[in-house]
Amino acid sequence: MTTTVVAKETTDGFETIAAYWNGHIHDWAIATQPPGSLAFFEELDAYRFDKLQYLGALAERTGREGGKLLEVGCGIGIDLARIAAAGAEVTGIDLAARSIELAEQNFGHRGLDGTFAVMNGEQMTYDDDTFDTVYCHGVIQYTVSPAKMVAEIHRVLKPGGRMILMGFHKNSWLRFMSVTMGVPLEHVEAPFYRLFTVDEMRSMTSMFAESRLDFERFPVATKIHKGWKAFAYNSVFVPGFNLMPRFLTKRFGWHLLVYGRK
Ligand SMILES: C[S@@+](CC[C@H](N)C(=O)[O-])C[C@H]1O[C@@H](n2cnc3c(N)ncnc32)[C@H](O)[C@@H]1O
């Protein structure tokens, strides 16, 4: 059902990134079920789509549009499984071999078809003009050169193909809360970690014939933090923020999305 191709690293930094993510699978900290079991993937799926309220609908819509879709930095394949179940022919790549192994198990449990490879999203082995859609969510802030990754995404897209790209927003409510409350954001210790301004995202994606920038990810109650700060956050900040009209708060969303067309 799946193929794993191991791409050789040639540039400094990528082995460090792979080592970090092999040991820090995204959202693993909340898992209570045996790693690799169906219950484990279901638990991480439920956690992710509850926290990122816009994402389930986006993944399903993207999958329903069909065609050949590549996910760069697919992790354990939570989003990709939704996309595949909705109808797209999917390929997932990641630098972390442990993530790719788990992504294959995730697809196996669900009876889904997908192709997987351990591969660097800044140096992909795919031909030009291969994919109808490239999806890359929460990855560019952790790679060596985000601009090179975006250029590679553009290269492997067919003319008219579309990119769905998400990077973390520097001027966001979440960063403000993290600084004010003295609570570090997840994975701030990851190699090459950085945040993006709107101008940086726009300039990095300027080679796309069309592009639209949007903001997502607004406060939801934390399930991983404890103590008085978590209590204040859950009982005061989250409801208070969400009472404000979204048109006023939208530009401070934590997720900066660029929908591009080649
Ligand atoms: C925070 S995780 C996100 C995983 C998944 N996209 C998600 O949202 O759950 C970041 C992932 O990006 C991968 N990554 C970072 N740089 C990469 C690169 N240059 N090529 C491929 N994958 C990369 C990491 O190995 C890690 O699995």
Side-chain angles (χ1 to χ4, degrees):
M1 180 197 67
T2 56
T3 322
T4 299
V5 180
V6 177
K8 272 242 160 277
E9 293 310 328
T10 52
T11 313
D12 286 347
F14 296 113
E15 285 174 8
T16 315
I17 295 174
Y20 176 85
W21 289 104
N22 273 321
H24 298 80
I25 302 284
H26 190 43
D27 288 339
W28 186 283
I30 64 100
T32 60
Q33 301 298 318
S37 64
L38 175 60
F40 166 83
F41 294 112
E42 285 176 343
E43 185 176 34
L44 293 195
D45 178 286
Y47 176 73
R48 181 167 175 79
F49 292 110
D50 176 50
K51 185 175 68 167
L52 308 184
Q53 293 175 342
Y54 71 99
L55 196 59
L58 173 62
E60 280 157 29
R61 205 165 54 239
T62 303
R64 275 199 304 275
E65 286 171 18
K68 286 181 69 169
L69 179 140
L70 170 69
E71 179 170 7
V72 175
C74 64
I76 65 171
I78 300 285
D79 297 357
L80 201 58
R82 288 246 170 160
I83 293 171
E89 182 193 330
V90 306
T91 300
I93 65 165
D94 201 288
L95 270 178
R98 179 82 184 109
S99 288
I100 290 296
E101 252 171 57
L102 285 161
E104 289 177 333
Q105 288 171 20
N106 188 10
F107 270 55
H109 285 303
R110 297 169 194 270
L112 292 170
D113 273 333
T115 304
F116 292 95
V118 178
M119 193 188 292
N120 181 357
E122 291 190 37
Q123 301 165 4
M124 293 190 258
T125 57
Y126 304 116
D127 291 338
D128 296 357
D129 308 342
T130 300
F131 295 98
D132 299 290
T133 306
V134 179
Y135 176 87
C136 180
H137 193 278
V139 178
I140 51 168
Q141 55 265 25
Y142 304 116
T143 193
V144 176
S145 168
K148 277 195 194 155
M149 185 173 276
V150 173
E152 270 294 87
I153 290 173
H154 187 268
R155 181 184 70 75
V156 301
L157 273 172
K158 293 176 184 171
R162 73 215 171 99
M163 169 185 72
I164 301 168
L165 180 74
M166 189 284 279
F168 289 159
H169 184 198
K170 198 171 195 174
N171 300 317
S172 63
W173 68 269
L174 188 57
R175 180 160 159 270
F176 172 79
M177 282 306 286
S178 162
V179 171
T180 315
M181 305 287 282
V183 177
L185 296 170
E186 277 180 292
H187 302 304
V188 278
E189 75 289 8
F192 300 99
Y193 175 82
R194 61 174 78 67
L195 304 175
F196 302 97
T197 64
V198 166
D199 286 349
E200 285 165 347
M201 278 300 258
R202 282 198 206 285
S203 117
M204 203 162 47
T205 55
S206 60
M207 79 281 274
F208 281 80
E210 291 168 28
S211 73
R212 179 172 68 82
L213 189 133
D214 200 6
F215 304 86
E216 292 285 1
R217 175 63 167 103
F218 300 99
V220 290
T222 179
K223 291 183 181 159
I224 54 174
H225 299 97
K226 304 281 173 238
W228 74 266
K229 288 182 182 176
F231 179 77
Y233 175 82
N234 285 348
S235 54
V236 180
F237 178 75
V238 174
F241 187 99
N242 288 320
L243 269 180
M244 288 189 275
R246 191 60 89 218
F247 76 89
L248 290 178
T249 56
K250 191 156 173 78
R251 79 190 68 174
F252 303 109
W254 172 234
H255 287 184
L256 264 182
L257 283 126
V258 177
Y259 300 91
R261 191 166 290 281
K262 181 172 172 182

